[in-house]
Amino acid sequence: MGTGWTRRELMRGSAVALFAGFMGPWGISRRARAAERFRAVHLSDFHWGYRGPWNRHPEASLRAVLERVRGLSPRPDLMLVTGDLIQATPESSQRRERFQQVKSLLDSLAIPWVAVPGEHDTFGDGGAMFEELIGPRYYHRTVGPIHIFGLDNVSRGPLLEPRQVSWFRREIQALSRDSIILVLTHAPLFSLFIPWNWYTYNGTAIYHIMRPYAAKQFLFGHIHQACDREYEGMNRSGLPTAWPLPEPGPLVRLEPWPQGATHPEMGLGFRVLDWQGGRFEEPLVYLEPPVVQEVTP
Amino acid sequence: MMRSWAMWPLLVLLFWPLHPSPRKPVPAPLPPPPTVQEGARLYHRACLSCHGPRGNGEAFVLMPNGQAAPRLDQLQGTAKTVPHLMQVIGEGRGLMPAWRTVMTPREIQSLALYVASLNPASPAWHGWAGHPRHSTPASFR
């Protein structure tokens, strides 16, 4: 448990898994923070446009997840999407269509949202269409009490270009030490499993810049399953809405298993981030519980 | 008799610090030369996922379009020469990342040496002409 790869408690028989995501003390004025409230939803890996056995109806899965988000009370202030909004396609007209469909679906919830690109989103054009239709590849937004940094660690390979790192350093160093900071990336910034590209070659640069800040969290997608890892702060993955992936370990080619036609929603869902009383509570919400419920590294 | 013999090492140790030592100028340390070993280490961190642990195209991950990165152990002609490999590894090509952005020129040289070494017929590498520690021996020039 202590390693915290995934610490899940599943309420058996229900599709809801509650993760008691105690963040630990932030080391900041907690009383002042106690009054602040903020709710975000972390979504990931839609792979909109995918056709095949890994999920026979990825569009239906995304719609089902979004319906659940729509039903949340209190209503989220923000949706965070950590990449792979679409399935890669070499056809630019098809890419445009996929992005537009995902965008209008997300817009239909009337909740502000931000996204970072995944390698499927930047395939074929290095992220040009993502920037045109979705937003910049990397950015800094302030929503309520939270500073949100989106980074691109996929479009140039499993790395962050030096220009992006220096931009990040400048932005971060302009913030006060007690700022609450969420860093969004598609792939994890730490080395979760290098053989499957579940890492960022120079991710340590970001952790280094973030060291002086206590109230921080790193959110990522890409691995299509729940992961909570303490490394230079808390790193958490969002759940996929497309298909689950096996846990890392054996040196085999990374492949999803075929999602049974009868259980297309196994392991899919999202994560809720509630900032309340000076800390985050982060329950996972599954459409259907995953195959692997407890993974040890 | 035994006792005086035993004295000698003690005396030497005692007076050694007074032994006149000419002060030679300390040469600036050379940067470590590129090596196949360093290339192998970097390969396992940065290349193995796409090109496979043996560089034979048995990749652990496919490109988003479902294709695998090419094998690196059967390169032909100029493709397996170190300068060409340095160019591809540094500048990237298509979905091949440009590693120059996050690696030093020496690291890219090391990777080029390693990839060249995967190719059975590649000529043995005799070092970087001009690098003081690894210059080309006269017999190979």
Side-chain angles (χ1 to χ4, degrees), chain B residues 32-67:
Chain B
T35 59
V36 170
Q37 286 79 359
E38 183 186 51
R41 186 175 55 71
L42 289 166
Y43 183 90
H44 282 81
R45 179 153 170 76
C47 326
L48 153 155
S49 54
C50 290
H51 290 286
R54 281 166 290 277
N56 60 0
E58 285 177 10
F60 287 136
V61 286
L62 301 176
M63 301 294 109
N65 60 359
Q67 285 172 3

Side-chain angles (χ1 to χ4, degrees), chain A residues 149 151-153 158-160 164-165 168 182-192 198-207 210 217-221 231-232 235, chain B residues 45:
Chain A
F149 285 86
L151 299 178
D152 165 16
N153 61 355
L159 50 90
L160 297 141
Q164 199 182 156
V165 176
F168 183 75
L182 290 180
V183 179
L184 312 183
T185 52
H186 179 59
L189 287 165
F190 65 98
S191 296
L192 203 167
W198 289 5
Y199 84 121
T200 305
Y201 184 81
N202 55 344
T204 45
I206 298 299
Y207 290 121
M210 290 293 291
Q217 197 164 136
F218 303 91
L219 303 179
F220 60 99
Y231 179 83
E232 297 274 351
N235 296 260
Chain B
R45 179 153 170 76

Side-chain angles (χ1 to χ4, degrees), chain A residues 243-265:
Chain A
W243 56 79
L245 286 172
E247 75 273 30
L251 285 181
V252 294
R253 175 171 288 179
L254 171 62
E255 297 218 57
W257 52 82
Q259 282 282 74
T262 54
H263 291 74
E265 292 175 346

Side-chain angles (χ1 to χ4, degrees), chain A residues 118-152:
Chain A
E119 76 278 11
H120 280 262
D121 302 319
T122 60
F123 176 82
D125 66 3
M129 200 176 286
F130 182 94
E131 296 214 283
E132 182 195 333
L133 298 176
I134 304 296
R137 288 189 295 120
Y138 53 94
Y139 52 83
H140 173 193
R141 295 275 156 74
T142 314
V143 181
I146 317 273
H147 290 274
I148 293 156
F149 285 86
L151 299 178
D152 165 16

